[in-house]
Amino acid sequence: MSKKQPLPVTSPSKDNLSVDVNMLAEVLDNVGTCIFTKDIHGCYTYVNQAVLDLFNINSTDIIGFDDSHFFDLALSQQLKENDGKVIKEAITVENEETNFIKSLQETRIYKTVKKPLFDDANNVIGICGVSTDITAEKKLQKIVKAQKKLLHTVLDNVDAYIYMKDNERTFKYVNSKVAELFGTPAENIIGKKDTEVLPLDVAEHFNQSDQKVFDTGEKQTIEENSVDEQGNVRYYISTKIPYQHQGELPTLIGFSTDVSELYALKEEFRKQANTDSLTKLYNRRYFIEHAEREFHRAKRHLRILSLIAIDIDHFKNINDSYGHPVGDKVLMSVAQCLLPCLRQEDILARIGGEEFSILLPETTLQSAKLVAERIRLNQSNLIIKGEWQGEIKVTVSIGVTCIRFEDDNFDDFFTRADRALYQAKDSGRDQVFCG
């Protein structure tokens, strides 16, 4: 049996090798990045078309030349440092390089990968490199970074609590005011659910309005409140708007402003509008407004309602003898003496000057007269002392009336109590008269 002859080995032809090299060169010339090789002395041995375009030269103007012809090396220190590291340490270097290009008279930033080239004895004979121009990207990053810093500066200095939460109640962002309010850095809040960083009752309270945003997909403006660590109620005006980013959970952006001081000021104004500044009792405006409402309710439901009118006897003499500051002290003392005689539902007010009125819901004329007599007795036992010589004893005259079927309006009711008061004064004062 004859021995099988081996197949002939065909060596690549010179023409085929030339074609492969040309194809490779064409590929490298069409890559949108700079590709090059250098010898151990730093002179270029190969560059692709991107390098030639960068320097606006032909290959004969760069092959055999080092970087000093194309870069301002005093302004391109990273280039020389990276080349030296590759050659001396025989390692691959991946780094960013900031290079000043002479032909362009401008600085470019490159993301560069440089590797050593070896001979057959494994000695470094040069380097090959790939450099991608990231100048535009770096400029954009710088702009984005500056804008982000500006945005954070603005958001952290706005006098509002600003936050983002998704529909699973996870915080996506909080500004510094929110972090300060919660008593922990922002990084300890972002990524956590509201129930993890807030008391459960507070988290549930705020989530009610959050849910309205997610349910309706519309902006919500609401009043919210919470109790701080000192037990004080804090009031907020919150605006919450829906925000949807593609591929992410529905989110809301919230802006909450602490209006506790404004709320307290509003309450103080309301109180001042309804309160006599001297005695701290209700004033005439508040009394008439509420008394008229009680009058109509009593008429409509056939309920009992009584009214007491009080006047300090000889008050003008006190002002004339001691002066108005002492007169004011007398008014305040009389007001304080009236309070223990009242129920919670009774309404006491200073009507004007030295006159006071008390409205007594669900009170008969007889019961109101007993209250009036108790008031008269308490006031007659009141002795007012001060820096002046002697003591001031106070008495009051009182008129009492009860609602009647024939009363058409509150004025009829109020006037009758006033007439009874003046009957008491005309009869010698320090008395109670019913009308």
Side-chain angles (χ1 to χ4, degrees), residues 25 36 66 69 110 170 243 351 431:
F36 55 87
D66 63 22
H69 294 81
Y110 294 90
T170 301
Y243 175 78
I351 299 301
Q431 296 188 49

Side-chain angles (χ1 to χ4, degrees), residues 257-275:
T257 304
D258 190 335
V259 293
S260 300
E261 291 185 9
L262 184 62
Y263 188 90
L265 190 61
K266 178 181 175 182
E267 284 297 299
E268 182 61 27
F269 283 153
R270 185 192 63 79
K271 185 177 179 181
Q272 289 179 5
N274 297 326
T275 305

Side-chain angles (χ1 to χ4, degrees), residues 85-201:
K85 198 168 187 178
V86 172
I87 292 171
K88 291 178 182 178
E89 301 180 28
I91 60 172
T92 298
V93 173
E94 295 184 30
N95 210 336
E96 288 184 5
E97 291 181 352
T98 301
N99 300 329
F100 188 86
I101 301 169
K102 288 182 177 180
S103 61
L104 300 177
Q105 286 295 296
E106 65 177 48
T107 299
R108 293 282 183 92
I109 303 173
Y110 294 90
K111 184 176 181 180
T112 299
V113 179
K114 294 180 178 180
K115 294 186 176 184
L117 295 173
F118 300 94
D119 61 12
D120 293 340
N122 209 31
N123 297 313
V124 177
I125 58 172
I127 65 173
C128 65
V130 178
S131 295
T132 304
D133 191 337
I134 58 172
T135 306
E137 179 184 340
K138 296 298 285 187
K139 285 182 178 179
L140 183 60
Q141 288 178 358
K142 187 175 181 180
I143 291 171
V144 170
K145 185 177 180 180
Q147 289 178 338
K148 187 176 181 180
K149 182 179 179 181
L150 175 61
L151 180 61
H152 278 291
T153 301
V154 171
L155 294 180
D156 286 339
N157 287 278
V158 170
D159 193 20
Y161 301 95
I162 304 173
Y163 47 91
M164 291 179 66
K165 291 166 71 176
D166 64 27
N167 65 349
E168 292 186 351
R169 304 175 66 167
T170 301
F171 283 102
K172 313 298 288 184
Y173 168 80
V174 295
N175 71 346
S176 60
K177 279 188 70 68
V178 174
E180 183 181 346
L181 179 66
F182 290 177
T184 187
E187 55 266 27
N188 293 342
I189 302 171
I190 297 171
K192 292 185 178 179
K193 296 185 182 299
D194 53 13
T195 52
E196 296 180 271
V197 293
L198 290 171
L200 185 59
D201 58 334

Side-chain angles (χ1 to χ4, degrees), residues 119-351:
D119 61 12
D120 293 340
N122 209 31
N123 297 313
V124 177
I125 58 172
I127 65 173
C128 65
V130 178
S131 295
T132 304
D133 191 337
I134 58 172
T135 306
E137 179 184 340
K138 296 298 285 187
K139 285 182 178 179
L140 183 60
Q141 288 178 358
K142 187 175 181 180
I143 291 171
V144 170
K145 185 177 180 180
Q147 289 178 338
K148 187 176 181 180
K149 182 179 179 181
L150 175 61
L151 180 61
H152 278 291
T153 301
V154 171
L155 294 180
D156 286 339
N157 287 278
V158 170
D159 193 20
Y161 301 95
I162 304 173
Y163 47 91
M164 291 179 66
K165 291 166 71 176
D166 64 27
N167 65 349
E168 292 186 351
R169 304 175 66 167
T170 301
F171 283 102
K172 313 298 288 184
Y173 168 80
V174 295
N175 71 346
S176 60
K177 279 188 70 68
V178 174
E180 183 181 346
L181 179 66
F182 290 177
T184 187
E187 55 266 27
N188 293 342
I189 302 171
I190 297 171
K192 292 185 178 179
K193 296 185 182 299
D194 53 13
T195 52
E196 296 180 271
V197 293
L198 290 171
L200 185 59
D201 58 334
V202 176
E204 291 300 332
H205 173 72
F206 288 123
N207 186 57
Q208 290 178 12
S209 56
D210 290 351
Q211 203 58 47
K212 288 182 182 178
V213 178
F214 295 123
D215 291 343
T216 64
E218 297 177 351
K219 181 175 77 171
Q220 302 288 326
T221 300
I222 59 273
E223 292 186 10
E224 299 178 306
N225 63 74
S226 66
V227 180
D228 63 20
E229 294 180 353
Q230 288 73 41
N232 301 313
V233 180
R234 308 298 299 181
Y235 296 89
Y236 303 91
I237 297 293
S238 297
T239 298
K240 302 181 180 183
I241 58 176
Y243 175 78
Q244 181 72 62
H245 190 69
Q246 187 174 5
E248 295 186 0
L249 291 172
T251 304
L252 67 80
I253 303 175
F255 304 85
S256 297
T257 304
D258 190 335
V259 293
S260 300
E261 291 185 9
L262 184 62
Y263 188 90
L265 190 61
K266 178 181 175 182
E267 284 297 299
E268 182 61 27
F269 283 153
R270 185 192 63 79
K271 185 177 179 181
Q272 289 179 5
N274 297 326
T275 305
D276 174 58
S277 60
L278 178 64
T279 62
K280 306 307 176 186
L281 302 180
Y282 289 124
N283 59 18
R284 182 186 183 92
R285 172 184 169 278
Y286 180 90
F287 181 82
I288 297 298
E289 178 183 323
H290 283 261
E292 284 185 337
R293 187 159 57 243
E294 283 294 320
F295 174 83
H296 291 297
R297 186 184 70 85
K299 288 282 289 184
R300 183 168 59 253
H301 298 289
L302 302 178
R303 309 303 298 177
I304 302 169
L305 181 67
S306 292
L307 180 63
I308 296 175
I310 304 167
D311 188 272
I312 301 174
D313 295 330
H314 304 296
F315 184 73
K316 183 176 183 302
N317 293 341
I318 294 173
N319 272 338
D320 292 342
S321 300
Y322 296 95
H324 287 282
V326 174
D328 289 347
K329 184 174 177 64
V330 170
L331 287 169
M332 290 186 286
S333 299
V334 168
Q336 289 301 308
C337 192
L338 290 170
L339 291 173
C341 301
L342 306 181
R343 303 167 302 176
Q344 186 174 0
E345 60 267 31
D346 298 335
I347 301 175
L348 166 64
R350 180 188 175 196
I351 299 301

Side-chain angles (χ1 to χ4, degrees), residues 27-88:
V27 170
L28 295 179
D29 283 341
N30 285 279
V31 173
T33 190
C34 296
I35 301 173
F36 55 87
T37 60
K38 301 177 186 177
D39 63 21
I40 199 167
H41 303 295
C43 295
Y44 286 96
T45 55
Y46 167 79
V47 295
N48 71 343
Q49 188 62 44
V51 177
L52 299 178
D53 292 342
L54 175 65
F55 298 140
N56 194 25
I57 55 176
N58 297 316
S59 59
T60 54
D61 298 322
I62 188 170
I63 302 302
F65 294 91
D66 63 22
D67 289 317
S68 63
H69 294 81
F70 314 105
F71 299 97
D72 185 332
L73 296 180
L75 302 176
S76 310
Q77 291 294 322
Q78 292 165 308
L79 186 154
K80 296 300 292 180
E81 290 174 4
N82 291 336
D83 284 8
K85 198 168 187 178
V86 172
I87 292 171
K88 291 178 182 178

